[in-house]
Amino acid sequence: MTRYYLVIEYDGTDYVGWQRQDNGPSIQEELEKAVHAFCGETAVVQGAGRTDAGVHALGQAAHVDIERDTNANTVREALNAHLRPNPISVLQATAVSDQFHARFSAEARSYLYRIINRRAPTTTLRYLTWHVGVDLDARAMHVAAQRLIGKHDFSTFRASTCQAKSPIRTLTSLDVYRDGEVIDIRVSAPSFLHHQVRNFVGTLKLVGEGKWTADNISEALAACDRTKGGQTAPPEGLCLTKVDYPPNSL
Amino acid sequence: MTRYYLVIEYDGTDYVGWQRQDNGPSIQEELEKAVHAFCGETAVVQGAGRTDAGVHALGQAAHVDIERDTNANTVREALNAHLRPNPISVLQATAVSDQFHARFSAEARSYLYRIINRRAPTTTLRYLTWHVGVDLDARAMHVAAQRLIGKHDFSTFRASTCQAKSPIRTLTSLDVYRDGEVIDIRVSAPSFLHHQVRNFVGTLKLVGEGKWTADNISEALAACDRTKGGQTAPPEGLCLTKVDYPPNSL
C-alpha cells in the first residue's frame, strides 16, 4: 500500500460540495469512482477540508491509499482520464509516508473570495464570482478586516450547522484589494469554521457600502452571536486556493 | 429617434454566435428581444462584427436606434433587466450621432486568445480557454508571430466559408506572452477575416511545439492556401476585447 498526496482543482458549480452526500454528486465521490475505475480498489479520498456546494478549488489537498503497485505519475494521469468529463483535475500526485494525513497534517488553509463590483451583471465569470452592484470601498473593507486577525471566538461568523467543537480559531491574514472592477479577498488560517469566510465577506460588504465602520466589526466579533454578523456571501465567489503542510511531511 | 452606441460583454458558450440564425439563440437576437421588451420597438442591433458560436466578448460594440424618448442610462439598465438570465451584459450605452455606425465607423478590433498550457485538464476555465497539454514555447510563438504583421493576403488563415471580398488585411499587432500556465495571445487589426485569429493560434501552436520555425510561418503566409496553415483553434479560447472608434465619432 502506498499513500498518495493529491492536489486537486475543481469547478464546484454542479456539485453538492466536497463531501459525499446522498443528495447529489460530490467531488469526493467522483474522485473515489476514478480510483476504483483505475485500480478496482474501494478507497476513501480524504480531503484537507470540506467545501460547500458551488464553492471551487484551485488547490484542494487530499490523500488516498492505493494497494496496486504503481507510481505517482500514473496515478495522476489515470485519475484525470477517469474523471473526464467532470471539471475535476488532479494537478499533482506524490507518494508520501503513511504518517501523512491530508486533514490532520495541514498547517494552514488559504481561500480567495472574488467580487465583481460594477453596475452591469457579470457574464463569463457568473459562476466564479459574486456580483455586487453597489460601489464598495475596498480600502475601508481591508482596514476593518484587520480587526478580525488573531485568536478569537468567531461564533458571530460561524454557521448554525457548524460541527466544530470550539468556535475559537486563529486568523492569520485577511486582505482586501481592488484591481479595477475586481475585489479580491484573500484569507489564511490554520483552520476555519463552517461558512466563516463567506460570513466574513458578507459582513465586510457592509463596511464597503459605508453602512458599518471598523468599530462595528469589532463589536460584532465581541458579541459572539451569529445574528450580529452580516449575510453569508454566496458560494460561487469562494475558492480554496492552497493547503499548506510542514515541509518534512511531504 | 436616437442612436445608442453599446458596449457589450457576453459568454458565448451557449449561443450560435453574435448573428441571428435559424438554428439557435444568438447574442444579437437576445439583445433585439430586450429592446422590444423595453420599448416595444423592433430594431436591429448592429454589431461591430460577428463572433462565432462559443466565442466570448468583453467589449463587443453595437448600435441601435430607439424611437422612444429616453436616455442612455435607462437604455443600459432596461436592456440588462430584460436580458436576464442570459449571460449578456450591456456595460455602456451612449447617445451618438446617427452618422455613427458600429461596423463601418470602427477603426480597429482587438481579440484575446487564452491557452491554458499544462498537463492536467482545466476545470473552472474550461469554457473560457483552450487546454493544450503539450509544452509550448511562448517566446518562439511570439517571435514567429511577428512574421504576420503588416498588409498581406491572408488566404492561408481564412475560413473557406469567409464572405469577405478580399483576403487582404493589415495586421497591427500579434503578441504572445506566458504568465505561469496561461498563454495570452493578443491581436489587433482594423478588421479580420473569418476564423483568422483562430487560424493564427492553431498555426502558432505548431511553432510552440517546436514542429515549425518562424520561416515556416512566412512560407505558409506566402502560400495563400488554407491547406498550408495549421488547425483552427477551438472557439472557447477566443474573446473580442475591444472595438475602437475615432475619438470624434462617439
Side-chain angles (χ1 to χ4, degrees):
Chain A
M1 183 281 280
T2 303
R3 180 160 292 186
Y4 292 94
Y5 157 70
L6 307 175
V7 180
I8 304 156
E9 180 185 291
Y10 50 85
D11 184 326
T13 305
D14 295 328
Y15 296 87
V16 296
W18 167 266
Q19 195 176 35
R20 253 184 194 277
Q21 291 177 58
D22 292 334
N23 60 333
S26 64
I27 308 297
Q28 186 183 31
E29 180 185 351
E30 297 300 338
L31 282 159
E32 291 173 354
K33 281 161 62 178
V35 169
H36 190 269
F38 161 51
C39 60
E41 298 171 34
T42 301
V44 172
V45 176
Q46 170 67 54
R50 303 172 189 176
T51 53
D52 286 325
V55 173
H56 317 290
L58 293 179
Q60 169 72 291
H63 77 255
V64 63
D65 294 337
I66 293 180
E67 299 290 341
R68 176 189 283 199
D69 185 21
T70 180
N71 62 68
N73 192 50
T74 302
V75 168
R76 192 194 69 232
E77 294 286 304
L79 293 186
N80 283 335
H82 290 294
L83 281 164
R84 291 179 191 275
N86 289 288
I88 303 171
S89 185
V90 178
L91 304 183
Q92 184 188 334
T94 307
V96 290
S97 147
D98 56 13
Q99 299 303 302
F100 174 85
H101 191 285
R103 181 169 170 209
F104 299 122
S105 304
E107 283 189 323
R109 280 92 174 163
S110 298
Y111 289 88
L112 166 64
Y113 196 100
R114 183 162 282 181
I115 292 172
I116 300 287
N117 187 214
R118 68 178 194 190
R119 184 69 191 152
T122 51
T123 67
T124 55
L125 300 177
R126 66 198 182 284
Y127 299 124
L128 301 173
T129 58
W130 184 23
H131 175 241
V132 175
V134 296
D135 275 348
L136 296 179
D137 180 342
R139 182 68 199 158
M141 292 167 71
H142 178 74
V143 169
Q146 305 319 304
R147 303 291 185 97
L148 299 166
I149 301 299
K151 187 174 180 180
H152 302 287
D153 178 330
F154 283 106
S155 292
T156 299
F157 302 97
R158 174 188 194 179
S160 59
T161 53
C162 182
Q163 292 169 10
K165 285 183 187 145
S166 163
I168 311 279
R169 289 290 184 277
T170 300
L171 186 65
T172 310
S173 64
L174 176 45
D175 297 311
V176 185
Y177 290 110
R178 176 188 287 277
D179 180 7
E181 65 190 23
V182 177
I183 296 176
D184 279 346
I185 300 162
R186 292 185 183 273
V187 53
S188 286
S191 66
F192 288 92
L193 301 166
H194 191 207
H195 283 181
Q196 190 178 350
V197 178
R198 291 165 58 190
N199 289 338
F200 281 166
V201 172
T203 307
L204 288 171
K205 174 173 175 272
L206 296 167
V207 177
E209 293 176 284
K211 292 179 179 168
W212 274 34
T213 65
D215 285 345
N216 293 134
I217 294 286
S218 295
E219 289 157 19
L221 175 65
C224 297
D225 176 353
R226 178 70 194 99
T227 68
K228 303 300 185 194
Q231 72 174 110
T232 305
E236 58 266 27
L238 187 60
C239 181
L240 173 58
T241 53
K242 195 151 153 280
V243 182
D244 290 313
Y245 295 93
N248 61 357
S249 75
L250 284 174
Chain B
M1 185 280 281
T2 302
R3 179 160 293 186
Y4 293 94
Y5 157 70
L6 307 175
V7 179
I8 304 156
E9 181 185 290
Y10 49 85
D11 184 325
T13 306
D14 295 328
Y15 296 88
V16 295
W18 166 266
Q19 196 176 35
R20 253 184 195 277
Q21 291 176 58
D22 290 337
N23 60 333
S26 64
I27 310 295
Q28 185 183 33
E29 179 184 352
E30 296 300 337
L31 282 159
E32 291 173 354
K33 280 161 61 179
V35 170
H36 190 269
F38 162 51
C39 61
E41 299 171 34
T42 300
V44 172
V45 176
Q46 170 68 53
R50 302 172 190 174
T51 53
D52 285 326
V55 173
H56 316 291
L58 293 178
Q60 169 71 292
H63 77 254
V64 62
D65 294 338
I66 292 180
E67 299 289 341
R68 176 190 282 199
D69 184 22
T70 181
N71 61 69
N73 192 51
T74 302
V75 168
R76 192 194 70 232
E77 293 286 304
L79 293 186
N80 282 335
H82 290 294
L83 282 164
R84 289 178 192 276
N86 290 287
I88 304 170
S89 184
V90 178
L91 304 183
Q92 183 188 336
T94 307
V96 290
S97 147
D98 55 13
Q99 299 303 302
F100 174 85
H101 191 286
R103 182 170 170 209
F104 299 122
S105 304
E107 281 188 325
R109 278 95 173 160
S110 297
Y111 288 87
L112 165 64
Y113 196 99
R114 182 163 282 181
I115 292 171
I116 301 287
N117 188 213
R118 68 178 193 191
R119 184 70 191 151
T122 52
T123 68
T124 55
L125 299 177
R126 64 200 183 284
Y127 299 125
L128 300 173
T129 57
W130 183 22
H131 175 240
V132 175
V134 296
D135 275 348
L136 298 179
D137 180 341
R139 182 68 199 158
M141 292 167 71
H142 178 74
V143 169
Q146 304 320 303
R147 303 291 185 97
L148 299 166
I149 300 300
K151 187 174 180 180
H152 302 286
D153 178 330
F154 282 106
S155 292
T156 298
F157 303 97
R158 176 188 193 179
S160 59
T161 53
C162 181
Q163 292 169 11
K165 285 182 188 146
S166 164
I168 311 278
R169 289 291 183 277
T170 301
L171 186 66
T172 310
S173 64
L174 176 46
D175 297 312
V176 185
Y177 289 111
R178 175 187 288 276
D179 181 6
E181 65 189 25
V182 177
I183 296 176
D184 279 345
I185 300 162
R186 292 185 182 273
V187 53
S188 287
S191 66
F192 288 91
L193 300 165
H194 192 208
H195 283 182
Q196 190 178 349
V197 177
R198 290 165 58 189
N199 290 337
F200 281 166
V201 171
T203 307
L204 289 170
K205 174 173 176 272
L206 295 168
V207 176
E209 292 175 284
K211 293 179 180 169
W212 274 33
T213 64
D215 285 343
N216 293 134
I217 293 287
S218 295
E219 289 157 19
L221 175 65
C224 297
D225 176 354
R226 178 70 194 100
T227 68
K228 304 299 186 194
Q231 72 174 110
T232 304
E236 58 266 27
L238 187 60
C239 181
L240 172 59
T241 54
K242 194 152 154 278
V243 182
D244 290 312
Y245 295 94
N248 60 358
S249 75
L250 284 174

